[in-house]
Amino acid sequence: MKYSKTVAAALFSLVLILLALPAVNAQAAEPLIPKIGITVGDAETPQDMAATLRVILILTVLSLAPSILIMMTSFTRIIIVLSFTRSAMGTQQMPPNQVLIGLALFLTLFIMSPVISDINTNAYQPLVRGEINEAEALERGMKPIREFMLKQTYKKDMNLFLTLTKEEAPQSPEDIPFPALVSAFITSEIKRGFQMGFFIFIPFIMIDMVVASTLMSMGMMMVPPIAISLPFKVLLFILVDGWNLVIKTLISSFH
């Protein structure tokens, strides 16, 4: 009897402890949970207004980052050439779009590494050390990007957009309006991408023509030529190390 009473008391105490644990854990964990809140109010000082505008500017730049990457770097030409290569081989979705975009991004980082290094050395690091303000850092950071775009832009495309702006002719490259420079750069990149894609198409078109002529001469009218030419095109691309040649040509075209 005494043993059973002892066991019952122990079980009752255990139940009380288990019931009390959530409350104890809640009280112990309450100071460890951070409270996050967003409040909207009137700016009382010019510093508050400046901080708010800075946050808005940062969010705007982050939202435009994909467009900046496409418009002001080598990404446009690279993805056009890679897409032409896949279409010329006729492999449908091989490589997949994710692979082509990933390859284009890393090739863009490789090609733009001197520009990124220049921006980091002359603009970002001095800004972090407090040697220059944001406006001067932006001006220094845009200089290597402008030089890169000017180097890759056709004069004909640049003259077209300068004419359309209906403004006075710039006296130096630094005086070229930035919207006109970006527009001319994108136009030139698309043009170069299509030119390179045309030359990539030529050997694959020859294979299609040879296969189609062979099938017609053999009377095999019902056999689709693409089903026969596709293995030969893939084999040719492998034998000549096609991806190496395409990537090497792409990188060389920016120097």
Side-chain angles (χ1 to χ4, degrees):
M1 181 65 80
K2 292 182 179 180
Y3 179 74
S4 60
K5 290 182 178 180
T6 304
V7 172
L11 291 176
F12 183 71
S13 301
L14 181 60
V15 170
L16 290 178
I17 293 173
L18 292 176
L19 291 175
L21 277 178
V24 174
N25 290 336
Q27 292 178 0
E30 184 176 357
L32 299 178
I33 299 176
K35 182 180 180 182
I36 301 175
I38 299 176
T39 60
V40 179
D42 297 332
E44 299 179 355
T45 62
Q47 290 76 12
D48 294 340
M49 178 64 72
T52 303
L53 294 177
R54 184 176 300 178
V55 171
I56 295 174
L57 179 61
I58 292 174
L59 293 177
T60 303
V61 171
L62 290 177
S63 63
L64 296 177
S67 300
I68 294 173
L69 175 65
I70 293 175
M71 292 187 300
M72 300 169 57
T73 64
S74 57
F75 181 84
T76 303
R77 187 192 311 181
I78 294 173
I79 195 63
I80 289 175
V81 173
L82 294 180
S83 299
F84 266 112
T85 303
R86 184 177 65 180
S87 299
M89 287 192 295
T91 53
Q92 303 299 326
Q93 294 297 321
M94 285 296 156
N97 291 332
Q98 293 85 347
V99 175
L100 290 184
I101 293 175
L103 178 59
L105 285 173
F106 279 99
L107 288 177
T108 300
L109 289 175
F110 180 80
I111 294 171
M112 300 296 295
S113 57
V115 177
I116 297 174
S117 178
D118 192 352
I119 295 174
N120 180 65
T121 303
N122 298 322
Y124 179 73
Q125 292 300 332
L127 177 63
V128 172
R129 293 193 297 264
E131 299 175 358
I132 58 177
N133 55 25
E134 289 83 356
E136 189 174 354
L138 179 62
E139 183 180 355
R140 290 188 181 185
M142 291 305 301
K143 184 178 179 180
I145 297 178
R146 289 178 63 93
E147 292 177 353
F148 172 80
M149 290 191 293
L150 283 170
K151 186 178 179 181
Q152 303 300 327
T153 303
Y154 287 122
K155 292 183 178 180
K156 182 178 180 181
D157 297 329
M158 181 60 68
N159 293 332
L160 169 65
F161 286 97
L162 289 177
T163 303
L164 294 176
T165 57
K166 298 180 180 180
E167 296 181 359
E168 296 182 359
Q171 302 298 324
S172 63
E174 290 76 13
D175 298 331
I176 297 176
F178 192 72
L181 175 59
V182 175
S183 302
F185 172 74
I186 296 174
T187 305
S188 300
E189 287 296 285
I190 295 175
K191 187 182 300 184
R192 281 197 176 94
F194 272 74
Q195 290 171 351
M196 297 177 67
F198 170 76
F199 289 108
I200 292 175
F201 254 100
I202 292 177
F204 296 107
I205 291 177
M206 297 299 296
I207 294 177
D208 287 334
M209 294 177 61
V210 170
V211 171
S213 300
T214 303
L215 292 177
M216 290 183 62
S217 64
M218 295 174 63
M220 302 174 66
M221 302 294 185
M222 302 302 294
V223 179
I226 186 63
I228 306 300
S229 64
L230 179 58
F232 289 100
K233 290 191 288 187
V234 174
L235 179 62
L236 173 65
F237 200 70
I238 294 174
L239 291 177
V240 300
D241 198 3
W243 288 114
N244 187 294
L245 291 176
V246 170
I247 293 174
K248 181 180 178 181
T249 304
L250 272 172
I251 296 175
S252 301
S253 66
F254 288 95
H255 296 292

